[in-house]
Amino acid sequence: MTQTEEIKSKLDIVDIINEYVPLRQAGANFKAPCPFHEEKTPSFMVSRERQFFKCFGCGESGDIFTFLQKYENLEFPEALQILAEKAGVKLTRQDPTLTNLKTRLNDLHSLAVEFYKQVLFSQEGRQALKYLKEQRKLSDEIIKEFNLGLAPNDWNRASNFLKSKGFTDYEIKQSGLVVEKSGTGYYDRFRNRIIFPIQDHHNKFVGFTARALNTDEPAKYINSPQTIIYNKSQILFGLNKAREQIKQKKLVILVEGNMDVIASHIAKVKNVVAVSGTS
Ligand SMILES: [Zn+2]
């Protein structure tokens, strides 16, 4: 069985599509107004038995991969990455046609999150951890829930780590985690800062906000730049965690900083997001 088949065997197309388009049962099948063309009477059908959808109006048809690609405007490797995670299938990715720059940058960010976390919980993170716990009153659980980390006070440790994991200079530059030097080379963008990972609506890590540890730094917060996986106008800090509550309450609270989002979570108010890219 290929990984694609394994993923399909573990997911139900009815559940997947229902997250995007509310489906109604109609006999053995499910139907809805088609998300791919304008219509009043539903001609979009989903078959659980065949794990297949088809629109009898516009002719769109396919499986879960086709649906996600079409609905979210993704390439196959990105749909594969999202559905693999939903299915709990760990992709081995031997085949280069199953990755693209976006999925590589998502993988790079996941590893960077682990790297920054490790630094925070090491000897060199003691001061930062003390600040988070004592001054910000964050518990271990909250620190872990938000995947907070620490960028070491070093010009190239993060990028060297990413290189050691097989990422190319080009990929590292495209991730925005480094700043290019005039001439050649680059250096780590985030140094001696507390790291707040930013996730998209599929919980993928796409960027970082970094808060200075030293109060005399000119910029208190700096952020990842816009990249092919981080569209600042579309991604808000905390949105992945707030989504359900926003739907339920039909209300979203916009706050200024990431710390405010975390503080609201501690207070059990979860329909809160922060504008990213602001300082
Ligand atoms: Zn249609």
Side-chain angles (χ1 to χ4, degrees):
M1 187 161 36
T2 66
Q3 289 206 297
T4 311
E5 286 164 349
E6 190 189 352
I7 292 164
K8 284 174 79 164
S9 75
K10 290 189 171 166
L11 297 173
D12 181 0
I13 194 168
V14 175
D15 298 338
I16 299 288
I17 295 184
N18 199 39
E19 286 178 28
Y20 297 90
V21 185
L23 295 170
R24 275 197 308 123
Q25 186 143 19
N29 294 325
F30 293 79
K31 65 179 181 179
C34 180
F36 304 123
H37 82 280
E38 285 285 330
E39 65 173 1
K40 292 207 173 79
T41 22
S43 47
F44 177 82
M45 308 293 270
V46 183
S47 163
R48 178 170 272 152
E49 191 196 348
R50 295 177 56 217
Q51 289 295 304
F52 198 76
F53 74 88
K54 182 172 175 68
C55 173
F56 292 92
C58 66
E60 280 297 336
S61 66
D63 59 12
I64 44 175
F65 293 98
T66 328
F67 179 84
L68 207 65
Q69 278 180 257
K70 177 95 184 148
Y71 194 93
E72 297 221 32
N73 192 22
L74 305 173
E75 288 181 27
F76 180 73
E78 297 146 42
L80 181 69
Q81 191 183 44
I82 290 164
L83 293 172
E85 201 173 299
K86 267 193 203 295
V89 171
K90 194 163 167 31
L91 291 175
T92 48
R93 295 239 173 83
Q94 305 294 356
D95 181 351
T97 62
L98 299 185
T99 67
N100 64 15
L101 185 58
K102 284 186 178 170
T103 63
R104 287 287 290 168
L105 293 185
N106 283 135
D107 289 347
L108 182 155
H109 274 78
S110 299
L111 279 170
V113 168
E114 292 310 316
F115 170 80
Y116 293 134
K117 270 160 78 170
Q118 217 171 21
V119 176
L120 178 64
F121 287 100
S122 73
Q123 192 66 10
E124 90 187 273
R126 266 174 50 195
Q127 186 207 344
L129 203 55
K130 197 169 166 215
Y131 163 80
L132 290 171
K133 287 185 173 178
E134 290 178 11
Q135 274 166 271
R136 290 297 175 158
K137 308 274 181 252
L138 303 187
S139 63
D140 277 327
E141 293 72 50
I142 285 285
I143 291 169
K144 286 189 178 130
E145 189 188 334
F146 282 87
N147 293 291
L148 303 189
L150 176 68
N153 196 7
D154 192 290
W155 292 90
N156 45 34
R157 188 132 49 101
S159 43
N160 281 344
F161 168 79
L162 294 169
K163 267 191 230 174
S164 78
K165 293 291 176 185
F167 291 96
T168 64
D169 287 340
Y170 177 74
E171 288 167 335
I172 292 169
K173 284 180 195 167
Q174 293 297 311
S175 75
L177 300 196
V178 294
V179 177
E180 287 189 58
K181 281 192 260 189
S182 53
T184 54
Y186 49 74
Y187 57 86
D188 293 354
R189 182 181 300 276
F190 306 120
R191 301 175 310 280
N192 200 26
R193 284 171 179 270
I194 292 173
I195 295 287
F196 298 83
I198 300 166
Q199 289 169 276
D200 68 9
H201 64 291
H202 288 298
N203 293 323
K204 300 210 166 308
F205 296 107
V206 294
F208 298 103
T209 290
R211 186 189 191 282
L213 265 185
N214 287 344
T215 42
D216 52 359
E217 285 277 339
K220 191 169 165 192
Y221 284 99
I222 57 175
N223 299 284
S224 290
Q226 184 104 350
T227 66
I228 61 163
I229 59 167
Y230 181 33
N231 182 343
K232 294 192 180 191
S233 63
Q234 285 177 3
I235 294 173
L236 297 164
F237 180 78
L239 184 59
N240 60 313
K241 296 190 196 298
R243 231 173 148 206
E244 273 311 305
Q245 287 286 310
I246 293 170
K247 264 191 207 165
Q248 273 179 32
K249 296 186 175 154
K250 296 195 167 49
L251 178 73
V252 55
I253 301 168
L254 200 63
V255 294
E256 213 179 322
N258 302 353
M259 277 294 187
D260 303 326
V261 172
I262 297 176
S264 301
H265 270 255
I266 296 171
K268 308 273 182 246
V269 179
K270 299 198 173 180
N271 54 331
V272 179
V273 297
V275 192
S276 48
T278 56
S279 45

